[in-house]
Structure formats: structure tokens, C-alpha cells
Amino acid sequence: MTIYKYSLAAKIFYRYGNIPLSILLLIYLGASIIGMLAHWYFIFFVAINTAIVIWLNKYYLKTYKQFPFTITADNEKLICSDFFFSSKTVEIKMENVDKINGGIFNGYPTRPVYIHDNIQNVTIGFYPSAGKFNELLLTIVKNINEDLYQQLIDKMKKLRAGK
């Protein structure tokens, strides 16, 4: 069994990165609200800031629920733990993986990869660009069922041909 973990810097960024950004955006939102009292067109800045704050925190809440910060893997299963705000542990058998999307499989190598287990109806995500998670992705792809493997290969071929 191999253990994959995020570095301390990545762990801090993915867990707490929204806090300073939200504070700065809320300060700017407050300034925009005050400016709106003097000039009506500041309502656009209020709307844009509000949308950004909501989107940012919605993204981080999704990260808190779906991204384990420790994954233990072998050829048969993944054991995911160290979720934020939770002490749960999720075990995903390689044979139960029915969908892998995002990241490199959608043409964006720095975006997260999501793995779905059809038996438990659970989705986990991780950033392959953070640490040795590319090795984890390779282990997963080597051990999934043949149909899903072929779908991923076809998807990658289409992406490569499109560029």
C-alpha cells in the first residue's frame, strides 16, 4: 500500500485559501456598497463581488466534502481519509470505479480529477499536480475495468486530435 499526501503548503492552500480571499473581497464589497449610496452604477461592482464570494466559497465547500488529503492505494482499493471537517474514511474498490473525469481527461492538467464509485455513489477528487498524485492516477488507471479504461483512452485521443 502506498500513501499519498499533499505537502504542507498545498494542504494549507486547499483548506484555508478561501479565508484571506473572502476577507479581501468582503472589504471590497463593503466599499462598493458604500459607493453605491453615492453613485448608482456601483451596483454592478456589488453584484460581481457577491457572485465571486459565493462561487469561491461554494468551490471550497465542495473541496472540503470531496477531497481527501490522505489517500492510501494499492491495486485493489483506495482508502481516502483526512477530509476537512470530517473524520470519515471512504474505501473505494477499483472494480467499482465507473467514472473518471476532470483534469487531464478534460484537457486541463492542473485541474482536479474526480473519481466516482457507482456502488457507494461517492465521488472523490484530488489534484494530480500536487505532489506524487500522478503516480496515484497511474495506479488507478492501470486497475480500473477495461471498458472505462478504453473510454478514457478514446477521450484522450480526441483531446489530442483536437489540439
Side-chain angles (χ1 to χ4, degrees):
M1 305 263 307
T2 307
I3 298 174
Y4 299 92
K5 291 183 175 190
Y6 289 92
S7 67
L8 180 62
K11 199 172 188 179
I12 290 170
F13 177 75
Y14 291 131
R15 282 193 173 176
Y16 306 110
N18 67 320
I19 295 170
L21 291 174
S22 292
I23 290 170
L24 289 173
L25 288 168
L26 288 172
I27 290 170
Y28 188 67
L29 179 64
S32 297
I33 290 171
I34 292 169
M36 188 175 64
L37 298 174
H39 303 286
W40 67 270
Y41 54 83
F42 274 85
I43 196 164
F44 298 114
F45 299 114
V46 169
I48 290 169
N49 272 324
T50 302
I52 291 172
V53 168
I54 290 170
W55 175 82
L56 175 70
N57 287 296
K58 187 177 176 182
Y59 177 78
Y60 269 85
L61 285 174
K62 179 181 176 183
T63 301
Y64 296 157
K65 291 177 187 174
Q66 294 182 343
F67 284 62
F69 287 93
T70 302
I71 300 175
T72 306
D74 63 13
N75 292 336
E76 296 175 9
K77 64 185 173 191
L78 301 172
I79 300 171
C80 308
S81 59
D82 196 16
F83 289 88
F84 195 58
F85 290 139
S86 177
S87 60
K88 71 179 178 179
T89 299
V90 176
E91 185 175 312
I92 298 175
K93 293 184 179 182
M94 296 292 187
E95 63 200 31
N96 296 339
V97 173
D98 70 327
K99 189 186 333 177
I100 299 176
N101 61 358
I104 193 168
F105 302 110
N106 287 353
Y108 302 102
T110 57
R111 290 190 183 168
V113 172
Y114 295 96
I115 297 168
H116 185 262
D117 177 347
N118 63 344
I119 302 297
Q120 300 177 68
N121 196 23
V122 146
T123 301
I124 64 150
F126 59 89
Y127 288 92
S129 58
K132 296 185 179 192
F133 284 88
N134 272 331
E135 293 175 17
L136 171 63
L137 188 57
L138 184 61
T139 301
I140 293 168
V141 170
K142 279 198 253 181
N143 294 295
I144 57 175
N145 66 51
E146 188 64 34
D147 293 335
L148 180 56
Y149 179 80
Q150 196 56 48
Q151 287 175 6
L152 292 174
I153 295 297
D154 293 343
K155 197 176 195 182
M156 295 297 291
K157 285 179 182 176
K158 285 180 187 175
L159 283 172
R160 191 170 186 177
K163 289 188 177 183

